Amino acid sequence: MRLHSTRLLVPSLLVCLSGAALAQGGPPRGKGKGGKGGGANRFVQMEQQALAEGFRGITASGTVQPGIFPIKATGVSTEPVAAAARVFLESLSDEQLQRTQFASDDDEWRKWANQHSYPRQGVSFEEMSTTQRLKAFALIAAGMSARGLGTTKDIMKLNGTLGELTGRTDEYGEWLYHMTIMGEPSATEPWGWQLDGHHVVVNYFILGDQVVMTPQFLGSEPVRADSGKFEGTVILQEEQAAAIAFAESLDKAELAQATIAPQKSGTNALTEAFKDNHIIDYAGIPASKLDATKQEALVQLAGHFIGQMADDHAKVKLSEIREHLDQTYFGWIGESSDDGAFYFRIHSPVVLIEFDHQRPIALGRDGIPTRNHIHAVVRTPNGNDYGKDLLRQHLLEEHGGE
């Protein structure tokens, strides 16, 4: 295994190294809209503002609730993911590796966006050889369920469809996605990987046999390809149907309590890119007010999103969600009628899921939300997005807080 001697050093040296990297401008950034990139891009400005704030994490009150995410054994091996990552890294050229591998605590984790024009780091699927693409997808497959891998690939395909529909294939395409690796694949030390591109972002942190797969972003415009190379491809319809079924299972009083705003706006999602420290109050109906059948249905609705992870790791996360069910809230905005646009969120100390029908952007701008443009975000509140609380504890225990 080839190592980056400057990026994979012990954490005590990372502060000095990160300052030097910033002074030198860091590695080259990938293409954004129309091949443009660099500091003039407004999303880079948003990124830099977010990084300057430091990281606290999503909270309900501005204060992190401590002691929620202990380092512990889960009994679910992460070695298949590490093995796939090693194979992928070995497939890269020295120049590609230099752009792709970062330290395990690098700010690269926080440099992602669902927008297509954000200039990205890492190696892109567009530049990869066929063999490298297969190995990149093998890494993604090792960490995700079959459904999660399928959804990820389908979103990439629908980005190709969007290129066909708009004629802007330099901005929208199946392969305009980037991979980065943080740290060195290991059974004991923290590391992970990131997939970043338009409408699909996966952050996958590993410590021992614990996995944190957030922030995760899923979406598309359009959500279905009715023509072209990827005709028949469709995403997030099961999740949409499950949300409608759950909302319609609530009685009139329950739905009234769940409703957090009287009318759907063009965009309701609150925790997309560069919102790592957003304060989002608990709102809607608490699960403790629902009967056992509806509580289980709420967990199953969450499972549609958590189930993007590899099955056994998803079971671990769902168990964690169940442990905090009495502190879980379901919020709703909009309509469940045919073609009605809506937003919902599931929020507890250990998970935040947002699903939002948004206004058209690439396919004719207006302010009316549509089911043909979906954004979904999964977060781990209270400081453990990107596995940062696990990383903090690991550094305290193993490296004296360095």
Side-chain angles (χ1 to χ4, degrees), residues 331-381:
W332 177 270
I333 304 173
E335 305 175 14
S336 61
S337 58
D338 291 348
D339 297 326
F342 61 83
Y343 162 92
F344 80 84
R345 71 173 177 249
I346 299 172
H347 188 191
S348 85
V350 297
V351 71
L352 173 64
I353 299 168
E354 295 190 279
F355 179 100
D356 193 23
H357 290 129
Q358 300 208 341
R359 62 188 177 90
I361 296 293
L363 298 177
R365 287 177 178 261
D366 66 40
I368 301 173
T370 170
R371 289 193 181 183
N372 200 38
H373 188 187
I374 294 175
H375 284 190
V377 188
V378 184
R379 290 278 195 165
T380 305

Side-chain angles (χ1 to χ4, degrees), residues 227-249:
S227 62
K229 180 180 179 180
F230 304 113
E231 182 176 1
T233 302
V234 60
I235 56 109
L236 296 177
Q237 298 306 289
E238 289 184 14
E239 292 80 357
Q240 177 177 275
I244 293 170
F246 180 76
E248 291 182 341
S249 77

Side-chain angles (χ1 to χ4, degrees), residues 51-133:
L51 292 178
E53 294 176 356
F55 178 85
R56 179 184 64 246
I58 303 291
T59 61
S61 63
T63 302
V64 171
Q65 187 174 335
I68 301 177
F69 305 105
I71 294 177
K72 61 182 181 181
T74 67
V76 182
S77 176
T78 56
E79 176 53 31
V81 190
R86 294 184 193 105
V87 171
F88 172 65
L89 287 170
E90 288 292 344
S91 76
L92 302 180
S93 69
D94 289 342
E95 187 274 332
Q96 288 173 324
L97 187 66
Q98 179 67 32
R99 290 187 280 118
T100 300
Q101 196 167 20
F102 296 79
S104 61
D105 65 347
D106 198 276
D107 279 342
E108 168 60 19
W109 280 114
R110 300 182 62 199
K111 296 178 180 180
W112 61 269
N114 47 281
Q115 292 86 357
H116 74 284
S117 57
Y118 177 64
R120 294 171 163 90
Q121 299 187 111
V123 60
S124 73
F125 279 79
E126 185 178 36
E127 70 179 278
M128 290 181 197
S129 67
T130 299
T131 298
Q132 288 175 326
R133 286 178 186 170

Side-chain angles (χ1 to χ4, degrees), residues 26-203:
R29 304 194 71 145
K31 291 182 179 180
K33 181 176 180 179
K36 298 175 184 176
N41 185 288
R42 68 186 179 96
F43 296 116
V44 174
Q45 297 172 10
M46 294 168 66
E47 167 208 289
Q48 293 302 311
Q49 182 178 354
L51 292 178
E53 294 176 356
F55 178 85
R56 179 184 64 246
I58 303 291
T59 61
S61 63
T63 302
V64 171
Q65 187 174 335
I68 301 177
F69 305 105
I71 294 177
K72 61 182 181 181
T74 67
V76 182
S77 176
T78 56
E79 176 53 31
V81 190
R86 294 184 193 105
V87 171
F88 172 65
L89 287 170
E90 288 292 344
S91 76
L92 302 180
S93 69
D94 289 342
E95 187 274 332
Q96 288 173 324
L97 187 66
Q98 179 67 32
R99 290 187 280 118
T100 300
Q101 196 167 20
F102 296 79
S104 61
D105 65 347
D106 198 276
D107 279 342
E108 168 60 19
W109 280 114
R110 300 182 62 199
K111 296 178 180 180
W112 61 269
N114 47 281
Q115 292 86 357
H116 74 284
S117 57
Y118 177 64
R120 294 171 163 90
Q121 299 187 111
V123 60
S124 73
F125 279 79
E126 185 178 36
E127 70 179 278
M128 290 181 197
S129 67
T130 299
T131 298
Q132 288 175 326
R133 286 178 186 170
L134 289 173
K135 292 177 179 179
F137 279 128
L139 170 55
I140 297 169
M144 302 184 79
S145 64
R147 185 164 63 86
L149 175 64
T151 299
T152 299
K153 286 185 170 182
D154 285 345
I155 291 171
M156 294 170 72
K157 291 175 182 177
L158 286 170
N159 203 42
T161 297
L162 183 57
E164 292 175 346
L165 293 173
T166 61
R168 292 150 59 184
T169 55
D170 60 331
E171 299 179 45
Y172 306 115
E174 180 185 9
W175 303 124
L176 300 180
Y177 295 83
H178 288 67
M179 292 289 297
T180 51
I181 305 287
M182 271 57 80
E184 188 69 30
S186 170
T188 58
E189 293 298 310
W191 73 281
W193 55 267
Q194 181 188 81
L195 169 68
D196 182 19
H198 188 216
H199 280 140
V200 63
V201 178
V202 182
N203 289 282

Side-chain angles (χ1 to χ4, degrees), residues 264-311:
K264 177 83 177 70
S265 66
T267 300
N268 291 97
L270 299 172
T271 62
E272 295 182 355
F274 316 122
K275 299 294 184 180
D276 287 341
N277 297 331
H278 193 73
I279 299 173
I280 179 169
D281 294 334
Y282 291 118
I285 187 167
S288 59
K289 297 288 184 69
L290 302 174
D291 63 34
T293 299
K294 291 174 183 175
Q295 287 181 350
E296 180 58 26
L298 182 59
V299 173
Q300 294 302 315
L301 177 56
H304 279 278
F305 299 88
I306 303 304
Q308 298 283 317
M309 299 172 69
D311 294 341

